Amino acid sequence: MSAQSGAFDLLGRWLASITALQGASAKTVEAYQRDVSGFLGFLANHLGGDLGKAKLGAVKITDMRAWMAHERRRGVGPRSLARELSAVKSFYRWLGEAEGVEVTAPLATRAPKFKAQLPRPVAKDQAKAMIETVELQTLDGWTGARDTAVITLLYGCGLRISEALGLTFAAVPLGETLRIRGKGDKDRIVPVLPTARKAVDSYLALCPFSHTPDTPLFLGKKGKVLNPRHIQKVMEQTRMQLGLPATATPHAMRHSFATHLLEAGGDLRAIQELLGHASLSTTQAYTALDQAHLMAVYRKAHPKGG
């Protein structure tokens, strides 16, 4: 039996627990498994011997610091290391509650400091130009209408690209609202602007494939679900044509949706609901962004702001 098997058995039980009780998505579970497995692998070599509950409960602050130093030597940046530590702490919280393991040292370990990156939205006129120009990147009229519809939904409804491409024909014809299944299989209701309905209708009128309600709404040239890489590529081509920065990505359209709502006086909690953020702190990044925008305008306009 492997010296690590006891700890990895516990890891498996924790992952099963968060899947069953918290509805964690497959991607979240995969990330947790990767991050905590790396930590346990380090401990097995660092502490030696069987790595079971006793060893896990005996971990000291110095052991945690040794692991973090090891990760930094591997080239792991402060943001990624903070994410790994968060996963390890979540694992230890479960160990404390479910197994009675001592968790003081891991939970007291401080995450490395890093500068939070603000979302990088595009300006309103740039978003409009993106939507109007993207159809020029393909030769087939129906694929251009499809790409326009996808990007209009990203900006007009604040969807993630995976959410837009996860829609099926059961969602059409679009009404005034749309039910979206987001991260963690959590549903939310988003309003649908007339321009988004029009863009989707234009695509549907040209789409050459037959379908059932379960068929993916946005199809590739062979009638299969559209690959997100295609949308990323046509946006790359579009932003080059328009002279926009590399930050003008599909996800930037979602950021733009939130930022422009906030600039128009939107309520932060309402925007949180529309974006499907689990935590308000995630949405608050847009507040900082809006303040930065206001200060830039102030400095430019004020006689002594320069």
Side-chain angles (χ1 to χ4, degrees):
M1 173 148 329
S2 168
Q4 301 178 29
S5 61
F8 278 85
D9 286 344
L10 289 167
L11 172 59
R13 286 175 52 200
W14 172 58
L15 294 174
S17 171
I18 63 173
T19 301
L21 301 180
Q22 300 177 24
S25 69
K27 285 187 177 180
T28 298
V29 172
E30 182 183 344
Y32 276 158
Q33 183 173 28
R34 180 179 61 249
D35 291 341
V36 179
S37 292
F39 171 75
L40 295 178
F42 168 81
L43 281 188
N45 291 322
H46 179 66
L47 299 177
D50 293 337
L51 191 60
K53 286 195 290 186
K55 278 279 178 68
L56 289 173
V59 166
K60 300 180 177 62
I61 287 284
T62 51
D63 301 319
M64 297 297 297
R65 289 174 180 163
W67 166 66
M68 294 174 75
H70 171 266
E71 292 298 277
R72 293 307 300 269
R73 286 194 297 272
R74 286 201 313 118
V76 176
R79 180 183 297 275
S80 296
L81 183 53
R83 187 205 67 229
E84 291 180 7
L85 178 60
S86 176
V88 169
K89 287 185 175 183
S90 295
F91 176 51
Y92 263 93
R93 287 189 191 96
W94 176 83
L95 285 176
E97 295 171 2
E99 301 292 331
V101 170
E102 173 58 43
V103 299
T104 302
L107 296 190
T109 304
R110 293 184 178 180
K113 292 183 178 180
F114 60 89
K115 187 176 181 180
Q117 290 184 337
L118 292 176
R120 304 282 296 272
V122 297
K124 293 177 185 177
D125 59 337
Q126 293 174 341
K128 185 172 182 288
M130 269 278 192
I131 292 169
E132 292 175 346
T133 309
V134 72
E135 66 179 342
L136 304 178
Q137 311 311 316
T138 55
L139 298 176
D140 299 322
W142 79 270
T143 57
R146 176 202 60 200
D147 298 344
T148 299
V150 172
I151 294 173
T152 302
L153 286 174
L154 300 183
Y155 178 62
C157 299
L159 302 190
R160 300 176 177 93
I161 190 169
S162 60
E163 294 169 346
L165 299 186
L167 293 173
T168 67
F169 274 87
V172 295
L174 295 181
E176 293 188 355
T177 61
L178 182 61
R179 181 179 294 274
I180 296 296
R181 176 148 293 185
K183 288 186 176 180
D185 288 334
K186 294 179 180 177
D187 288 351
R188 69 185 191 276
I189 304 295
V190 298
V192 180
L193 299 175
T195 184
R197 286 198 294 274
K198 183 179 179 182
V200 172
D201 287 345
S202 297
Y203 157 64
L204 292 175
L206 297 171
C207 181
F209 297 105
S210 59
H211 59 268
T212 68
D214 293 332
T215 303
L217 178 57
F218 296 110
L219 298 169
K221 287 188 176 181
K222 296 182 179 179
K224 304 294 185 182
V225 63
L226 185 63
N227 190 315
R229 177 59 192 145
H230 170 78
I231 297 298
Q232 293 166 349
K233 186 175 180 180
V234 296
M235 281 204 66
E236 287 172 9
Q237 295 169 337
T238 304
R239 71 177 181 239
M240 289 177 66
Q241 185 174 342
L242 294 172
L244 299 181
T247 51
T249 63
H251 205 62
M253 301 300 278
R254 171 174 156 88
H255 289 322
S256 304
F257 163 83
T259 303
H260 299 161
L261 274 180
L262 187 63
E263 288 175 352
D267 175 74
L268 198 62
R269 284 208 175 272
I271 295 172
Q272 177 194 359
E273 292 291 328
L274 292 176
L275 291 173
H277 286 160
S279 169
L280 185 62
S281 61
T282 306
T283 317
Q284 283 172 333
Y286 296 101
T287 306
L289 184 73
D290 196 36
Q291 289 172 343
H293 169 75
L294 289 174
M295 287 305 297
V297 172
Y298 171 80
R299 283 193 292 269
K300 186 176 180 180
H302 196 278
K304 296 186 177 180

